[in-house]
């Protein structure tokens, strides 16, 4: 493909994307394809000869696009939103064109420097304490995913704990090593039973135990200081070592918010235990001042998207073989983000954020948050207006409504009718939502963050849910 | 940004990218910016008001692009190549537009299915044994980076070892758990001293010990079966448990190739030890039949880019909270790649590969490999033609030449003059290369994989290296 062929193909692709977004609301949100559909359509071996872009794009249009789930659709009400905007697509386009596995500053200085700057911008906009900014001992880094953020901090936490809480009690290298080897099998990471599975997965990866602390409806399923203190104590009585805790600002199933101040107070006697805040979805709302009160207590924590002391990351993750050495890194004047993450290479992630921040400005981004959370609230009110059909299961928060369907027949349970409704809706594919279980209650989760979402589309989604629910309650 | 503004901005960005590639050979390969340059140019807080794309793009052109390192430049001779082609940029463009954190099949079925298909295509094209294909117990997955591939297999290896080699000797859950806790501190991963640092980093992440086995010039710095057997034995005598080994097909510093067959034979008595092949750079050459003989012995190994038994990945990494359950996953008919990797979400990675494979066909890709490895060989010959100035340090292989500069003055060492040349070249920024240390010898590494590389550009690079070397030898 020569530059002129590329220009033509790329223009046509841009047109295709514009058409896609202009028609996204009319597309069926979830695909009808069956498992294994694509293998029927594609050859079993790679082509030996070059093919024309027209032929490739024709197959893309007829075989690939019909197998997509449309996450930006206003009818996508499942999981949490993963948004795209036009400037973000431009960021990815340039990031691909200037591809560089920018593990060191010298590998492409702009990639590292822009990341530091936009992350400082964001921290300030969210009202994070200044210790998390890059001109202090802290800083932020864009991990490949939220799960990687948890693994990375857990590895740093484990190494800090083994060094500061275990090895420091001994004097010889031999004693230190034996003590660390013995302690490895006793380390335990904690989180509430509402915490996203990434903490449990991080514990699998780091090779440590994981304990989920039970939460209760009377606390709105928040992790409390008392529950945490009790769990730590019980673990210690069994000889275990609590070295890590994830607290959440907005859990996945129900957007519960753990009691940060209480947790901070309860862990005062555990200076070597790393305390991490997971705010993967709800954290975005902190760009609006009216949500920043949720940050109260963050001063007790070691990390969120940002770390208070970046040395704990680099202590745990830094290795510099000779082929990665260079004058800029040796000077100590630059950040090498490879030492803040699991992979060596990394993409030009900040470009996308920079384009989005500038295209919309803080005001435009706040508007988006307020609009979509408002649409969520609109949906909550529609649910609440029909108490004969629906019951709210957990406090609505950050645009997420978690509800159950009220059975009309005495022989049917709430769980049964709720799951019947959820399964029928997800089979019919008019909208896409998530069924989840909270404390034994089967629930339906509805949330939107799509830039294409509207009150009108949400009202239509509600009318559809209402109709299906009424029908399922009768049959 | 509305769809029509996006269309205009995107067309202009495509034109910018075309111009960039048409002029890439003339651009200075490494930037002149100093650490911290970008902070001087950008405001310290994010903009509150929206800005126009024209303003943003003007800053992009004047502030960001001058801070890039041009990895696709024919003068980029450092590290290993990280290639971009026009169809790969189109793949990234569509991947961004259809963004979906496709952790489950239902999250966007085409994303999962295309990945399985193109990875099977690639495995067949490279001549991998059929046990690594998805219709057996094995399969491939595109990890976010080579490092993640190593971490992921190491975690699977650790869990398999603790279960099959340790816990299986005991009958009660309590005994099993105590044995596992005691074993965790004794686990050790092995690799040669030439292996890429990602294995050592994976050991840090997995929380296990790491031992680098020394290699020798008389073996071309390959890890041999005898050296491995000795290292395993010595570790066991110290009470350590060898659970993982990385062998390399093309190490980073010098493209050494470990002795796979010998290693396979030497580890026959270690059925629970996971054997992984790292072929991160050289593996690409396997699409050409004339390089596939290097795969001899792969039948002894558990993983390369592919795994022989995918169950060990999912056993180690699978967690299914209620909000991730869905009918397709429950049916067992689909792959959920989230259980094959560290992150939960994932990008539409296979689209790029599919576009590239079809645009060039196997023949076009083979042509690229043969062309760039040929350019490497051309450079080797130029170096060899000047034995008075240069000496080859390690056997040239896969287009990589590792050489030293021969001193002309008795008081100067080979290492000194070689580093003087390397530092001056990387300061002058006409070309960009890597200095590295092999077995105490300071060396210069030169390699290209750029689609824009030519024999002519490489000859010019050589003439420049020759001139600098001759000057530095005199001063």
């Amino acid at each position: 493909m020569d530059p002129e062929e590329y220009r033509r193909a790329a223009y046509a692709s841009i047109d295709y994307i514009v058409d896609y977004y202009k028609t996204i609301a009319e597309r069926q949100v979830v695909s009808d394809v069956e498992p294994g559909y694509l293998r029927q359509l594609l050859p079993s071996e790679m082509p030996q000869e070059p093919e024309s872009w027209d032929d490739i794009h024709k197959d893309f249009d007829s075989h690939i696009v019909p197998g997509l789930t449309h996450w930006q659709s206003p009818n996508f009400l499942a999981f949490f939103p993963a948004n795209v905007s036009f400037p973000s697509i431009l960021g990815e386009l340039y990031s691909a064109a200037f591809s560089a596995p920018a593990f060191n500053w010298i590998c492409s200085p702009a990639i590292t420097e822009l990341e530091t700057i936009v992350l400082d911008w964001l921290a300030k906009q969210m009202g994070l304490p200044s210790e998390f900014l890059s001109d202090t001992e802290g800083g932020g880094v864009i991990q490949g995913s939220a799960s990687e953020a948890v693994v990375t901090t857990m590895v740093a936490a484990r190494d800090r704990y083994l060094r500061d809480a275990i090895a420091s009690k001994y004097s010889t290298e031999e004693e230190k090593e034996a003590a660390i080897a013995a302690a490895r099998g006793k380390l335990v990471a904690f989180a509430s039973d509402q915490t996203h599975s990434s903490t449990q997965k991080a514990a699998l990866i780091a090779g440590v135990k994981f304990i989920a602390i039970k939460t209760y409806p009377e606390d709105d399923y928040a992790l409390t200081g008392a529950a945490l203190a009790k769990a730590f104590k019980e673990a210690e009585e069994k000889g275990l070592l609590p070295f890590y805790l994830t607290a959440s600002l907005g859990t996945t199933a129900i957007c519960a918010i753990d009691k940060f101040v209480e947790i901070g107070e309860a862990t005062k006697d555990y200076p070597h235990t790393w305390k991490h805040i997971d705010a993967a979805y709800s954290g975005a709302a902190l760009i609006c001042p009216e949500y920043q009160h949720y940050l109260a207590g963050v001063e007790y924590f070691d990390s969120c998207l940002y770390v208070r002391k970046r040395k704990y990351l680099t202590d745990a993750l830094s290795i510099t073989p000779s082929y990665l050495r260079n004058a800029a890194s040796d000077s100590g004047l630059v950040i090498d983000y490879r030492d803040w993450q699991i992979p060596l290479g990394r993409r030009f992630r900040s470009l996308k954020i920079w384009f989005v921040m500038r295209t919309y400005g803080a005001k435009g981004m706040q508007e988006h948050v307020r609009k979509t959370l408002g649409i969520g609230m609109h949906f909550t009110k529609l649910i609440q207006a029909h108490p004969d059909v629906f019951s709210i299961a957990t406090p609505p928060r950050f645009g997420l409504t978690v509800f159950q369907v009220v059975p009309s027949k005495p022989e049917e349970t709430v769980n049964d009718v709720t799951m019947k409704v959820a399964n029928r809706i997800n089979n019919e594919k008019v909208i896409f939502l998530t069924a989840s279980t909270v404390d034994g209650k089967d629930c339906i989760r509805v949330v939107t963050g799509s830039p294409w979402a509207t009150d009108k589309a949400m009202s239509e989604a509600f009318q559809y849910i209402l109709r299906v629910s009424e029908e399922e309650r009768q049959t």
Side-chain angles (χ1 to χ4, degrees), chain A:
Chain A
M1 188 180 277
D2 71 26
E4 293 311 321
E5 285 170 331
Y6 166 68
R7 196 195 310 265
R8 267 196 309 281
Y11 276 21
S13 301
I14 298 298
D15 291 344
Y16 192 92
I17 291 168
V18 169
D19 286 348
Y20 172 77
Y21 278 105
K22 284 186 171 173
T23 56
I24 195 163
E26 296 135 45
R27 288 169 190 256
Q28 181 176 302
V29 58
V30 183
S31 169
D32 280 326
V33 300
E34 295 290 332
Y37 87 99
L38 195 55
R39 201 177 278 279
Q40 317 300 322
L41 298 172
L42 297 183
S44 61
E45 308 217 349
M46 76 179 283
Q48 295 297 305
E49 302 292 335
E51 298 183 73
S52 78
W53 178 252
D54 282 352
D55 284 348
I56 299 167
H57 200 270
K58 210 178 292 165
D59 285 354
F60 169 72
D61 180 53
S62 60
H63 300 340
I64 305 297
V65 177
L68 297 175
T69 299
H70 304 296
W71 280 65
Q72 309 306 311
S73 162
N75 295 321
F76 188 96
L77 309 174
F79 305 115
F80 278 130
N83 284 344
V84 175
S85 64
F86 289 128
S88 80
I89 301 175
L90 294 172
E92 291 277 8
L93 174 65
Y94 273 127
S95 165
F98 298 139
S99 185
F103 39 85
N104 288 342
W105 179 87
I106 192 67
C107 282
S108 224
I111 298 185
T112 292
E113 298 212 1
L114 189 61
E115 185 158 332
T116 309
I117 292 168
V118 299
L119 286 174
D120 279 348
W121 281 6
L122 184 62
K124 288 179 190 172
Q125 183 64 39
M126 295 194 303
L128 276 188
S130 61
E131 305 99 272
F132 290 101
L133 295 177
S134 69
D135 57 359
T136 66
E137 294 176 55
V141 56
I142 313 174
Q143 299 284 347
S145 69
S147 301
E148 282 171 61
V150 181
V151 180
T152 306
T153 55
M154 196 180 283
V155 166
R158 187 193 59 202
D159 287 11
R160 185 179 78 172
Y161 190 91
L162 290 173
R163 186 178 59 230
D164 296 354
I166 304 292
S168 66
K169 293 183 196 156
Y170 301 88
S171 47
T172 73
E173 276 313 305
E174 245 178 14
E175 287 170 335
K176 282 179 197 285
E177 210 176 305
I180 285 176
R184 281 195 190 277
K186 297 174 190 157
L187 296 171
V188 56
F190 286 83
S192 91
D193 58 359
Q194 292 300 322
T195 306
H196 187 266
S197 55
S198 54
T199 294
Q200 191 183 349
K201 188 161 179 175
L204 290 180
I205 292 163
V208 297
K209 289 178 204 298
F210 171 75
I211 292 177
I213 304 170
K214 188 158 171 47
T215 56
Y216 297 92
E218 54 268 32
D219 303 316
D220 288 352
Y221 298 101
L223 177 62
T224 64
L228 180 68
K230 187 162 162 278
F232 272 25
K233 226 173 140 209
E234 283 172 5
E236 288 179 310
E237 283 164 10
K238 287 185 199 148
L240 298 176
L241 306 167
F243 81 103
Y244 188 90
L245 165 74
T246 295
S248 298
L249 173 54
T251 58
T252 308
I254 59 165
C255 270
I257 300 175
D258 293 337
K259 308 277 186 201
F260 297 157
V261 175
E262 285 184 30
I263 290 170
E265 289 295 322
T267 52
K268 271 197 165 163
D269 295 339
Y270 296 84
H272 303 302
T273 302
W274 189 290
K275 290 160 289 278
H276 176 70
I277 292 179
D278 180 351
Y281 161 68
S282 313
L286 300 178
I287 61 166
C288 303
E290 66 269 31
Y291 291 105
Q292 292 176 1
H293 64 89
Y294 284 120
L295 277 176
V298 71
E299 62 273 15
Y300 293 104
F301 286 77
D302 295 280
S303 57
C304 41
L305 174 65
Y306 296 78
V307 288
R308 184 180 297 279
K309 288 199 197 296
R310 54 185 179 250
K311 84 181 270 294
Y312 294 125
L313 294 184
T314 55
D315 280 355
L317 295 171
S318 183
I319 299 170
T320 305
S322 63
Y323 48 81
L324 293 181
R325 286 193 59 184
N326 63 85
S329 296
D330 289 349
S331 75
L333 294 173
V334 299
I335 287 176
D336 288 337
Y337 278 124
R338 69 185 168 87
D339 296 331
W340 299 42
Q341 62 173 21
I342 294 169
L344 177 61
R346 52 206 327 279
R347 306 175 68 245
F348 197 168
R349 294 161 178 162
S350 56
L351 191 60
K352 181 171 172 171
I353 298 178
W354 189 57
F355 283 171
V356 170
M357 282 178 160
R358 293 193 58 180
T359 301
Y360 298 105
K363 286 192 183 165
M365 292 171 70
Q366 290 166 339
E367 218 169 83
H368 171 76
V369 167
R370 288 171 185 142
K371 185 191 106 172
T372 52
L373 299 197
I375 293 171
M377 211 180 299
H378 169 67
F379 182 81
T380 305
K381 283 185 187 146
L382 292 172
I383 290 286
Q384 284 169 328
H386 293 76
D388 48 325
V389 186
F390 301 116
S391 67
I392 294 283
T394 63
R397 208 177 270 143
F398 294 114
L400 174 69
T401 310
V402 184
F403 63 96
Q404 296 185 292
V405 181
V406 179
S408 68
K409 289 175 291 185
E411 70 274 21
E412 202 162 38
T413 67
V414 184
N415 281 0
D416 286 346
V417 68
T418 301
M419 286 310 289
K420 257 167 62 186
V421 169
N423 289 334
R424 182 171 145 197
I425 289 175
N426 278 347
N427 284 335
E428 289 185 353
K429 302 172 180 175
V430 175
I431 59 174
F432 187 34
L433 43 72
T434 305
S436 81
T437 306
V438 182
D439 201 18
K441 292 196 279 190
D442 289 333
C443 300
I444 294 174
R445 282 170 87 260
V446 163
V447 62
T448 184
S450 164
W452 311 90
T454 59
D455 271 345
K456 185 167 165 288
M458 195 52 123
S459 296
E460 285 167 13
F462 172 77
Q463 289 304 329
Y464 168 71
I465 295 170
L466 180 63
R467 181 171 61 74
V468 171
S469 300
E470 282 175 336
E471 286 173 13
E472 291 300 321
R473 292 170 76 231
Q474 306 310 326
T475 53

